[in-house]
Amino acid sequence: MIVTRDLTKTYGRVTAVHGVALEVREGDRYGLLGPNGSGKTTLIRMLLGLVYATRGEIEVFGLPMPKRVKEVLPQVGALVEGPGAYPHLSGRTNLALLDAAGPGGARRDRRRRIGEALERVGLAGIDGRPVRAYSLGMRQRLGLAAALLRRPRLLVLDEPTNGLDPRGIREVRDLLTELNEGGTTVLLSSHLLAEIEAFCTRVGVMDRGRMVLQDDLATLRGPTGRVLLDTPDGDRACALLDGRVEHREGQRLTVRHDAPHDLNTTLVTAGIRVAGLVPEQRSLEQVVMAATTTSSDRVEGSTA
Ligand code: ATP
């Protein structure tokens, strides 16, 4: 759906994006993660033809960008660097102006489409106010409504939850999930690990202009080869497992083992009570820290 090769952008002596090979597949919920200044916005802007690459290639829907921008953009909803809107007009009027330049159709259909978009982002009741009276969160929602108007095949969002409170973040996530289930591929950027981990199926990690990691979240978080065991019979379990217990804290044991089913059978057969047994998984935070050791203090962790 999006493929880039050796994509590079320099501003004078600053290399904002450096040799990036991005791969977003149809149906992905792709999260571009990285600290401020790592090049996410520049990368996204190049994908949309908003800035020209210094070097490299971009394909969106299999079409070269920005050469085929006129065919690509009508199928893309985008929210980049804050929603642009006329501050003295209402949200609805702003959307109507946008829509008039977009897909067109009968007036009644356009009005319905705008009403639906406002409804979906939770702005239906307050759209009479001028946009200048909107909070940042409301402006973000309006930007999302504008992105939705096109019923896009691909939605590209730069920090879409910026300025939203926890409830707003949740609502945006639910909305994006719903759209994705309806077939829209979603690419979003964030500097918040927890946000990416909660929503995305695929992750790309940017660090000082480079893509240092890109994979499916499930693969990145794959099993570690350890099992977390909860048992009231810790002493007996330790004796039975003979050297495989790496860590023990009360009832909780970390056991080196890559076949949880077999481990369970072994324990139960020996009459050891098992209160809980799960394969250990890496957190996205651990994966990202390992990939960005040089600037690990600049990515906000899931506990932030
Ligand atoms: P943020 O989350 O803060 O937006 P980002 O990961 O999106 O960060 P970019 O905005 O792409 O990062 O910036 C990457 C680097 O490129 C930064 O060093 C930035 O200062 C530089 N940069 C971006 N745009 C320009 C520009 N128009 N002129 C000069 N330098 C720029």
Side-chain angles (χ1 to χ4, degrees), residues 2-292:
I2 307 177
V3 177
T4 74
R5 282 178 281 273
D6 192 29
L7 191 59
T8 300
K9 177 71 185 177
T10 53
Y11 291 107
R13 291 168 65 187
V14 176
T15 304
V17 172
H18 197 149
V20 165
L22 176 77
E23 192 196 349
V24 181
R25 297 168 311 204
E26 178 133 33
D28 275 350
R29 300 184 205 167
Y30 190 111
L32 201 54
L33 182 69
N36 291 338
S38 56
K40 307 180 298 293
T41 302
T42 305
L43 174 57
I44 285 180
R45 299 188 84 197
M46 284 193 282
L47 300 178
L48 297 170
L50 296 170
V51 294
Y52 288 115
T54 310
R55 193 176 73 225
E57 292 165 35
I58 306 170
E59 276 176 23
V60 181
F61 310 134
L63 300 172
M65 283 290 278
K67 200 169 163 204
R68 306 282 287 273
V69 66
K70 283 193 183 144
E71 287 149 86
V72 169
L73 280 197
Q75 303 178 63
V76 180
L79 177 60
V80 178
E81 277 181 1
Y86 295 106
H88 58 291
L89 300 176
S90 71
R92 183 177 290 271
T93 310
N94 266 288
L95 290 188
L97 284 173
L98 264 178
D99 195 58
R107 202 166 157 183
R108 192 161 30 108
D109 289 344
R110 290 186 2 206
R111 213 178 307 142
R112 182 181 42 78
R113 203 157 53 215
I114 290 169
E116 275 173 14
L118 287 168
E119 186 84 37
R120 290 190 93 170
V121 300
L123 282 180
I126 37 174
D127 61 296
R129 263 190 262 170
V131 168
R132 68 166 166 267
Y134 280 19
S135 65
L136 177 58
M138 287 163 72
R139 283 171 199 242
Q140 276 305 89
R141 286 165 193 257
L142 182 62
L144 264 177
L148 292 179
L149 267 184
R150 296 162 181 254
R151 297 174 187 273
R153 218 174 131 191
L154 169 68
L155 199 50
V156 179
L157 309 158
D158 191 20
E159 304 265 359
T161 53
N162 230 357
L164 295 179
D165 56 25
R167 187 164 155 211
I169 291 174
R170 182 66 194 260
E171 284 170 8
V172 167
R173 190 190 305 151
D174 290 348
L175 175 68
L176 296 180
T177 304
E178 200 185 310
L179 284 165
N180 178 255
E181 283 167 357
T184 301
T185 303
V186 180
L187 166 65
L188 60 81
S189 76
S190 176
H191 60 284
L192 298 172
L193 260 159
E195 186 174 314
I196 299 271
E197 197 161 24
F199 175 70
C200 295
T201 52
R202 189 162 165 81
V203 184
V205 180
M206 300 282 293
D207 187 24
R208 289 176 296 175
R210 293 178 191 269
M211 177 80 79
V212 291
L213 191 70
Q214 174 172 246
D215 214 331
D216 290 342
L217 188 60
T219 308
L220 291 174
R221 298 196 50 200
T224 61
R226 294 192 197 87
V227 171
L228 304 175
L229 169 66
D230 186 350
T231 173
D233 303 321
D235 290 340
R236 289 182 54 215
C238 283
L240 179 75
L241 297 173
D242 188 30
R244 281 176 175 261
V245 177
E246 290 188 354
H247 183 72
R248 180 172 176 192
E249 206 176 308
Q251 287 206 175
R252 295 170 198 278
L253 278 62
T254 305
V255 183
R256 199 164 17 84
H257 206 294
D258 48 21
H261 284 107
D262 295 349
L263 176 61
N264 193 38
T265 307
T266 307
L267 292 164
V268 172
T269 307
I272 292 171
R273 292 169 291 172
V274 175
L277 187 148
V278 285
E280 185 187 58
Q281 285 198 313
R282 273 179 283 266
S283 70
L284 182 58
E285 184 171 6
Q286 286 168 323
V287 175
V288 170
M289 291 307 164
T292 60

